[in-house]
Amino acid sequence: MRHSFYEGCSPLGKWDTARVIEIDDPADPRLDDFRDLSTADRRPDRPGGRGLVIAEGVVVVERLLRSPYPVRGLLGVRRRVEALGDLPAPAYVTSAEVMAEVVGFHLNRGVLAAADRTPQPDVAELVASARRLAVLEGVGDHENLGSLFRNAAALGIDGVLLGPGCSDPLYRRSVRVSMGHVLRVPFASMPNLTEGFDLLRRNGFTVAALTPRAGSQNLADAGLRGRKVAVLLGSEGPGLTEEAIAAADLAVRIPMAEGVDSLNVATAAAIAFYAIA
Amino acid sequence: MRHSFYEGCSPLGKWDTARVIEIDDPADPRLDDFRDLSTADRRPDRPGGRGLVIAEGVVVVERLLRSPYPVRGLLGVRRRVEALGDLPAPAYVTSAEVMAEVVGFHLNRGVLAAADRTPQPDVAELVASARRLAVLEGVGDHENLGSLFRNAAALGIDGVLLGPGCSDPLYRRSVRVSMGHVLRVPFASMPNLTEGFDLLRRNGFTVAALTPRAGSQNLADAGLRGRKVAVLLGSEGPGLTEEAIAAADLAVRIPMAEGVDSLNVATAAAIAFYAIA
């Protein structure tokens, strides 16, 4: 059972079937949620950003339909929309050409859905209900962030805490790379890591910084399995800051072959998530 | 110590410094190795394929220079070429614009190197000298293949055996995604898995098929750590064939959260490589 953020979501098939609406005119204002997608998915606080959650392709759209994010509408070619079953919102059906003109580029997945953001859970609430967490510092690459959420979802991580320098997990590219799994893992901002680690410790967590630096314990020997653990992960290039490592309870490393500097951050995270499961 | 394929490679800095040659004419035949790169890196048996090994960017080019692949030449802007130190082959220095015209697209890494392929090690030789191997079936995606080799290099896998349906690990995109680590992990073709598994067993290996199917043992409980293990991995979508799973010695799985179908194949491989280390 996951975090309460997800309770009360309607399973697919229980929603009312909405009308499927044919649209031929790319300028139709009902398609505005899907217009100029390469800027529309920016965070609401960025220029031109509307902060919508955009899902692309049948698999990811289905995950959005099962998520807590309120769906505003869908846009697709008939065959892809029909693959979705019951629909919680208007589904605009059009040609691939009109879709491309609306979104601003060619899209080969054939169906999109747009949803509103919801308030993210409070950090304290998320920490209180979790047993295994990831804490990220400076993970700015949207693809790495998406992959990391996919791995978190698969490997039973209850939530992700976003420290300084992290990107927006609901950016379209992250949603796509996560295969939509970013939509099922609760996350919350934790702008001050030191305060955040105190909160984690008060809730019985051990904060384990994953870093290849000398002096780190071997991940397998650190006795983390079965404990309440928050895995602290940094970005692929620079890694964690000294301050973050110092503030953690311990530093752990994945044993690596000589001459190989690092793993991709999402891959390293997956190994750590597996090791603490 | 890695496989003997790598013995005798000169370390960087021991090579003779070759002349750096300025070239302004994109039609200069000395640049032919870098011409129309989007087809030139195809396998020699494919139309237009010359089968060259192409490295892009300072980090990957440096790994090519340290690999057993004989470097034919380099092409780059002066600043990037100068970052490389001693050079084993002619380095053609030009502008970013001429580079783009030669290779056929804009390249933002600023330096390339081209090398010849070498004969791959014999399967029997590779198996005889290894303790941990990956065996791939149907891994056709070049990015997944590159990531998998990167993870294999980092996590101490001694070699990769390519079963039916696998792509060419030396394709340019695989080399790039692997961060050049594909150039240090020996690989060999194993077109017949059943015969290959017999060879592995004769050499004391246990063949462990990684699959989420019901009835698989938990990876952590399968007693693989410290043994001679060949991890059998299938492609991300369809997974391993029934025949391959049946021919393996056992089937193991990574415990996964309900509702998440799979991990990326390179990520799943990384977890398995970690678990058998």
Side-chain angles (χ1 to χ4, degrees):
Chain A
M1 192 47 218
R2 302 194 72 80
H3 185 255
S4 60
F5 182 46
Y6 292 88
E7 286 168 13
C9 299
S10 310
L12 268 184
K14 293 237 175 135
W15 276 306
D16 293 332
T17 303
R19 270 208 327 267
V20 172
I21 301 154
E22 299 251 13
I23 293 189
D24 295 327
D25 177 9
D28 191 307
R30 289 172 293 180
L31 304 186
D32 281 355
D33 279 356
F34 303 99
R35 209 169 295 288
D36 303 324
L37 269 198
S38 53
T39 58
D41 61 344
R42 282 191 197 149
R43 288 191 339 210
D45 55 331
R46 301 285 167 86
R50 282 179 281 156
L52 297 177
V53 181
I54 303 287
E56 302 163 273
V58 169
V59 170
V60 179
V61 167
E62 282 179 341
R63 289 188 177 135
L64 179 63
L65 299 185
R66 285 192 209 95
S67 82
Y69 298 97
V71 177
R72 297 161 59 96
L74 299 98
L75 170 64
V77 297
R78 177 167 291 279
R79 192 166 63 92
R80 297 295 183 206
V81 169
E82 283 176 349
L84 293 169
D86 284 351
L87 300 167
Y92 305 107
V93 166
T94 189
S95 66
E97 294 69 31
V98 170
M99 274 187 83
E101 198 170 334
V102 172
V103 305
F105 50 88
H106 178 71
L107 203 89
N108 59 11
R109 286 179 181 78
V111 65
L112 294 165
D116 285 315
R117 294 187 182 224
T118 54
Q120 289 305 320
D122 179 67
V123 177
E125 183 199 351
L126 181 47
V127 168
S129 67
R131 287 197 56 81
R132 284 186 294 262
L133 292 164
V135 185
L136 312 185
E137 186 194 38
V139 179
D141 181 274
H142 287 110
E143 297 203 12
N144 283 343
L145 199 60
S147 299
L148 197 150
F149 269 86
R150 179 183 178 185
N151 297 342
L155 297 163
I157 294 298
D158 300 314
V160 176
L161 303 174
L162 302 169
C166 292
S167 292
D168 172 20
L170 296 181
Y171 190 78
R172 182 167 53 93
R173 185 189 292 265
S174 297
V175 174
R176 184 176 64 225
V177 173
S178 82
M179 305 283 285
H181 292 305
V182 70
L183 305 170
R184 64 178 268 173
V185 179
F187 59 88
S189 282
M190 186 187 266
N192 186 316
L193 289 183
T194 312
E195 288 175 15
F197 294 174
D198 286 342
L199 172 71
L200 284 162
R201 282 187 276 262
R202 285 199 301 277
N203 282 269
F205 277 86
T206 299
V207 180
L210 191 67
T211 168
R213 62 149 57 182
S216 305
Q217 294 180 56
N218 188 328
L219 174 62
D221 303 332
L224 296 175
R225 195 175 284 272
R227 277 160 69 182
K228 287 174 83 168
V229 178
V231 182
L232 175 63
L233 299 149
S235 69
E236 192 164 335
L240 290 168
T241 61
E242 292 295 324
E243 295 72 28
I245 296 171
D249 296 309
L250 76 166
V252 293
R253 67 179 166 77
I254 297 167
M256 259 183 262
E258 216 178 316
V260 182
D261 37 7
S262 70
L263 290 163
N264 168 281
V265 60
T267 305
I271 291 174
F273 299 159
Y274 169 80
I276 66 170
Chain B
M1 193 49 218
R2 301 194 73 79
H3 185 255
S4 61
F5 182 47
Y6 293 88
E7 285 167 15
C9 300
S10 309
L12 267 186
K14 295 236 175 137
W15 277 305
D16 294 333
T17 303
R19 271 207 327 266
V20 172
I21 302 153
E22 299 251 14
I23 293 188
D24 294 327
D25 177 9
D28 191 308
R30 289 172 293 179
L31 304 185
D32 282 354
D33 278 356
F34 302 100
R35 210 169 295 290
D36 303 323
L37 270 197
S38 54
T39 58
D41 60 344
R42 283 190 196 150
R43 290 194 337 214
D45 54 332
R46 299 285 167 86
R50 282 178 283 155
L52 297 177
V53 182
I54 304 288
E56 302 162 273
V58 169
V59 170
V60 179
V61 167
E62 283 178 339
R63 289 186 179 137
L64 179 63
L65 298 184
R66 285 193 209 96
S67 81
Y69 297 96
V71 177
R72 297 162 59 96
L74 298 97
L75 170 64
V77 297
R78 179 168 290 280
R79 191 165 63 91
R80 298 295 183 206
V81 169
E82 284 176 347
L84 293 170
D86 284 351
L87 301 167
Y92 304 108
V93 166
T94 190
S95 66
E97 293 70 31
V98 170
M99 272 187 84
E101 198 170 334
V102 172
V103 306
F105 50 88
H106 178 70
L107 203 87
N108 59 10
R109 286 179 182 79
V111 65
L112 294 165
D116 285 315
R117 295 186 180 223
T118 54
Q120 290 307 320
D122 180 67
V123 177
E125 184 198 350
L126 182 46
V127 168
S129 66
R131 285 198 56 82
R132 284 185 294 262
L133 291 164
V135 184
L136 311 185
E137 185 195 38
V139 179
D141 181 274
H142 288 109
E143 297 204 11
N144 283 343
L145 199 59
S147 299
L148 196 150
F149 269 86
R150 180 182 178 187
N151 298 341
L155 297 163
I157 295 298
D158 300 314
V160 176
L161 303 174
L162 302 169
C166 292
S167 291
D168 172 20
L170 297 180
Y171 190 79
R172 182 168 52 94
R173 184 189 293 265
S174 296
V175 174
R176 184 176 66 226
V177 173
S178 83
M179 306 284 284
H181 292 304
V182 69
L183 305 170
R184 63 180 268 171
V185 179
F187 58 89
S189 283
M190 186 187 266
N192 185 316
L193 289 183
T194 311
E195 287 174 15
F197 294 174
D198 285 342
L199 172 71
L200 285 161
R201 281 187 277 261
R202 284 197 303 276
N203 281 270
F205 277 85
T206 300
V207 180
L210 191 67
T211 168
R213 63 147 61 180
S216 306
Q217 293 181 57
N218 189 327
L219 174 62
D221 303 332
L224 297 175
R225 196 175 284 272
R227 277 160 68 181
K228 288 175 82 168
V229 177
V231 182
L232 175 62
L233 297 149
S235 69
E236 193 165 333
L240 290 167
T241 60
E242 292 294 324
E243 295 71 29
I245 297 171
D249 295 309
L250 76 167
V252 292
R253 66 180 168 75
I254 297 167
M256 259 183 265
E258 215 178 316
V260 183
D261 37 6
S262 71
L263 290 162
N264 169 281
V265 60
T267 306
I271 291 174
F273 299 159
Y274 170 82
I276 66 169

